Amino acid sequence: PWSPAYKHACSTLEYWLKRRSYVNKDYRNVRYLIVLQNKLNLIYNATLSKQDIESEISKAYKVRKQCKLYAESLSLEYRTQLALAKEAAGELKAAVYLRNINHIEALRRIFRNIRHMEDKVKGGSTTKVTTTDNGIISEHTDREPIEKLFVDENVRK
């Protein structure tokens, strides 16, 4: 689920987690903390204790969870209304369409999680390239070979 409120909740949580690691002297990128702080319109308070930061983290987790549940609810409501509209238009039955679209959404979520675990999180990036050499089809999924193939193709052009 994505919405501006959910993104804000995730950014807030990220800020407080990084702030905790900064207080614990694990995180050194102060510039990024300042950027997040400015984006979220937070005022830096140097007097916060570790307990205060922990309470802010737990609040941020709760807000993120609520936003996610709300976004999922809205998504399901939208898909249901779309299915009913398609049924009213005579295209297909609402239950069939809803089952199909929910299955597609579940697959999308699974593959998004897999991309995240494989650290392929940049938008618009290519995750698989298929090449044919002398009738032999090969798939490339690692980043370095894909980049090399792109460079070779651009040089060839």
Side-chain angles (χ1 to χ4, degrees), residues 16-157:
W16 288 111
L17 289 172
K18 290 190 183 305
R19 178 83 184 267
R20 177 180 63 187
S21 62
Y22 177 73
V23 168
N24 292 336
K25 302 199 185 319
D26 295 333
Y27 186 73
R28 303 256 183 236
N29 193 350
V30 178
R31 177 155 174 66
Y32 186 65
L33 270 174
I34 293 170
V35 168
L36 273 176
Q37 191 175 306
N38 291 338
K39 278 184 184 176
L40 299 169
N41 294 326
L42 296 173
I43 298 170
Y44 182 77
N45 185 355
T47 62
L48 286 178
S49 67
K50 287 183 181 181
Q51 294 166 336
D52 295 334
I53 293 173
E54 290 296 332
S55 70
E56 291 293 335
I57 289 172
S58 66
K59 283 183 206 172
Y61 271 121
K62 287 178 187 173
V63 169
R64 186 184 71 168
K65 186 176 181 180
Q66 288 173 344
C67 286
K68 189 173 184 178
L69 290 173
Y70 187 65
E72 286 173 356
S73 168
L74 285 175
S75 176
L76 182 61
E77 182 181 339
Y78 170 76
R79 290 191 305 253
T80 305
Q81 289 176 357
L82 184 61
L84 292 173
K86 286 202 174 268
E87 185 178 47
E91 292 182 28
L92 65 154
K93 294 192 182 231
V96 172
Y97 181 76
L98 193 57
R99 184 181 64 232
N100 290 342
I101 199 80
N102 285 342
H103 179 69
I104 290 168
E105 182 68 20
L107 285 176
R108 188 190 66 77
R109 191 174 301 120
I110 287 169
F111 284 106
R112 185 184 65 207
N113 290 340
I114 290 171
R115 275 191 25 226
H116 183 72
M117 287 185 282
E118 291 178 346
D119 202 26
K120 295 180 179 178
V121 292
K122 295 205 176 195
S125 62
T126 303
T127 57
K128 180 173 85 169
V129 172
T130 306
T131 59
T132 306
D133 290 327
N134 298 327
I136 299 171
I137 298 173
S138 348
E139 286 186 357
H140 305 276
T141 56
D142 292 330
R143 183 178 182 162
E144 289 79 19
I146 289 175
E147 289 176 351
K148 185 178 182 325
L149 287 168
F150 286 160
V151 168
D152 292 345
E153 182 66 20
N154 287 338
V155 167
R156 189 183 65 79
K157 288 180 181 179

